[in-house]
């Protein structure tokens, strides 16, 4: 009889077995992920909190339970889609990475799992991390900056000289969008809450107004492109400010407004000469490399509000949910 029992290596992770407030998140010892042929096992050093994390934590809006599985209780037990770390091992079919590589990645289509000491995901989820960022800074980039990039470049078709309006400019997506739009040679007007105006100015916006000043300060028929990270109003409310032709892109906000923009995007190409679009960001390895190059060229830089240790992920998510974050909050996983 073979007495040598194979022990599965353990790791610390933030797990959730039910939907609810940040109290449902627990720091526990769980099995380390097992590497697969096309998988890269990463020792996580930094993670970041994203709006999607608190939606998945709460299971709200309800339809996300259909998308990510787990109608009554979550199927995804370890959250976290933004990650940076060091490659520990690679599966036998992996061609792009080797142990020791410093990577960052977007796990939103790879099963999540960044709030843990190790994660394993397909190699296409990762890229070599920007050289001059800490792990925590690098981890704040993937989802938010990919969203900003794809919203401005792919959906918004940004051009040098464009007048761009970014609504919800103080959060994760907005803080990257301001910088990416400037890097494309646009003039940027940003809108955020009053207490965050100085922060948004500090990352390069040309004009910054708070939400209450939108009607009085924004110029009529002036903006070529509006990126709306806080779509809580009808897209038609922005038409007086949009040029003809011009494009409104809904990124985040209330479900009703996002569905409205998605519906209009689907059924029409233009309304009164202007486009209404709704962004669905996709993880994309080549876009991660675009962002790495922009960071290394000094064109964009993450704005990190605060770094929490792994055990304080619930506090980090709470800070984000309470709209108390400037830019991003990061998680440090002790090396
Ligand atoms: N379409 C996609 O593929 C995609 C991808 C990623 C994210 N998103 C969505 O895009 C949105 C922005 O993401 P993010 O990571 O930038 O979020 P975030 O870091 O939480 O920032 C939220 C931004 O929206 C503003 N805001 C205005 N009114 C708000 C309200 N009533 N409730 C909450 N925020 C409000 C905030 O302004 P102040 O902080 O100045 O108050 C802040 O600038 C979220 O809804 C997210 O779910 C969509």
């Amino acid at each position: 009889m073979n007495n040598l029992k194979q022990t599965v290596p353990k790791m610390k992770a933030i797990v959730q077995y039910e939907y609810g407030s940040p109290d449902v998140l627990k720091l526990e010892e769980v099995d380390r992920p097992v590497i697969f042929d096309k998988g890269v096992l990463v020792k996580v050093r930094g993670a970041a909190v994203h709006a999607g994390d608190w939606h998945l934590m709460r299971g709200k809006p309800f339809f996300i339970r259909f998308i990510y599985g787990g109608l009554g209780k979550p199927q995804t037990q370890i959250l976290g889609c933004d990650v940076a770390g060091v490659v520990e091992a690679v599966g036998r079919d992996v061609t792009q990475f080797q142990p020791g590589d410093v990577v960052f990645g977007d796990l939103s289509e790879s099963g999540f799992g960044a709030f843990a000491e190790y994660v394993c995901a397909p190699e296409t989820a990762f890229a070599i991390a920007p050289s001059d960022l800490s792990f925590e800074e690098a981890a704040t980039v993937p989802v938010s900056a990919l969203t900003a990039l794809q919203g401005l470049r792919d959906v918004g078709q940004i051009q040098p000289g464009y007048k761009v309006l970014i609504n919800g400019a103080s959060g994760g997506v907005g803080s990257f969008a301001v910088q990416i739009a400037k890097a494309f040679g646009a003039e940027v007007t940003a809108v955020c809450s009053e207490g965050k105006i100085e922060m948004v100015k500090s990352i390069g916006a040309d004009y910054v107004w708070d939400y209450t000043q939108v009607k009085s300060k924004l110029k009529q028929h002036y903006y070529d492109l509006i990126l709306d990270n806080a779509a809580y109003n009808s897209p038609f409310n922005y038409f007086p400010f949009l040029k003809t032709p011009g494009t409104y892109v809904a990124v985040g906000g209330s479900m009703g407004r996002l569905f409205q923009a998605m519906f209009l995007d689907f059924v029409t190409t233009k309304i009164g000469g202007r486009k209404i679009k709704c962004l669905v960001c996709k993880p994309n390895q080549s876009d991660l490399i675009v962002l790495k190059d922009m960071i290394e060229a000094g064109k964009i830089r993450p704005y990190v509000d605060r770094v929490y240790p792994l055990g304080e992920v619930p506090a980090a998510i709470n800070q984000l949910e309470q709209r108390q974050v400037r830019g991003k909050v990061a998680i440090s996983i002790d090396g």
Side-chain angles (χ1 to χ4, degrees):
M1 210 171 84
N2 185 1
N3 283 332
L4 291 173
K5 252 184 150 178
Q6 191 119 18
T7 51
V8 180
K10 298 283 180 185
M11 66 172 186
K12 289 196 188 98
I14 295 288
V15 292
Q16 85 171 116
Y17 303 109
E18 56 185 320
Y19 293 117
S21 69
D23 296 340
V24 301
L25 304 175
K26 309 285 180 207
L27 182 65
E28 288 187 3
E29 287 251 306
V30 298
D31 292 348
R32 242 194 235 183
V34 177
I35 197 159
F36 48 93
D37 288 349
K38 290 185 176 171
V40 175
L41 181 69
V42 171
K43 183 166 172 45
V44 182
R45 298 292 305 279
V49 174
H50 175 257
D53 292 318
W54 66 261
H55 288 297
L56 278 172
M57 177 188 79
R58 291 196 179 270
K60 287 181 181 171
F62 198 84
F63 80 87
I64 67 164
R65 301 186 189 200
F66 290 99
I67 300 172
Y68 294 105
L71 275 188
K73 55 184 183 174
Q75 218 171 52
T76 304
Q77 289 174 343
I78 306 177
L79 296 178
C81 41
D82 280 319
V83 67
V86 181
V87 174
E88 179 87 359
V90 295
R92 64 179 175 193
D93 294 341
V94 168
T95 57
Q96 302 180 51
F97 301 105
Q98 54 188 17
D101 284 346
V102 175
V103 294
F104 70 149
D106 173 355
L107 307 174
S108 55
E109 285 189 357
S110 313
F112 302 86
F115 300 152
E117 289 178 311
Y118 292 87
V119 72
C120 188
E123 61 180 332
T124 49
F126 301 103
I128 296 293
S131 52
D132 53 352
L133 297 185
S134 67
F135 286 106
E136 293 82 3
E137 286 173 319
T140 65
V141 175
V143 177
S144 296
L146 282 177
T147 305
L149 180 68
Q150 292 178 12
L152 291 165
R153 182 198 60 191
D154 303 342
V155 183
Q157 303 274 301
I158 191 169
Q159 303 294 326
Y162 258 29
K163 312 281 191 283
V164 176
L165 174 66
I166 296 169
N167 190 42
S170 51
V173 176
S175 59
F176 282 108
V178 168
Q179 299 178 70
I180 291 170
K182 288 298 295 177
F184 273 93
E187 177 193 288
V188 175
T189 301
V191 183
C192 62
S193 53
E194 194 183 0
K196 298 177 184 172
I197 287 178
E198 287 311 313
M199 171 253 157
V200 176
K201 277 186 186 161
S202 78
I203 55 172
D206 297 289
Y207 307 98
V208 189
W209 311 117
D210 77 60
Y211 295 114
T212 62
Q213 296 177 306
V214 167
K215 278 195 177 142
S216 59
K217 297 288 188 185
L218 296 186
K219 295 181 187 166
Q220 302 273 317
H221 307 295
Y222 183 74
Y223 303 96
D224 300 279
L225 171 58
I226 297 176
L227 191 80
D228 197 353
N229 303 310
Y232 296 96
N233 294 301
S234 166
F236 295 111
N237 286 15
Y238 291 95
F239 268 33
F241 312 114
L242 200 53
K243 265 187 196 162
T244 311
T247 305
Y248 168 93
V249 182
V251 176
S254 76
M255 279 305 124
R257 291 305 174 196
L258 292 176
F259 282 130
Q260 180 189 17
M262 200 176 282
F263 174 76
L264 293 169
D265 185 357
F266 185 70
V267 297
T268 63
T269 48
K270 281 185 184 168
I271 300 175
R274 286 159 283 196
K275 293 182 194 164
I276 295 179
K277 312 289 284 177
C278 188
L279 171 74
V280 180
C281 176
K282 297 289 287 176
N284 182 320
Q285 192 185 44
S286 51
D287 280 350
L288 282 177
I289 296 167
V290 169
L291 293 167
K292 167 189 180 325
D293 291 345
M294 290 179 91
I295 291 166
E296 289 177 348
K299 292 179 175 169
I300 62 172
R301 186 143 193 118
Y303 189 100
V304 181
D305 183 304
R306 187 167 168 184
V307 180
Y308 289 85
L310 179 62
E312 292 181 25
V313 165
I317 292 184
N318 185 52
Q319 187 186 348
L320 187 69
E321 204 180 356
Q322 299 303 318
R323 278 173 77 181
Q324 296 302 319
V325 175
R326 288 170 172 74
K328 295 289 298 182
V329 277
I331 306 298
S332 177
I333 288 94
D334 212 2

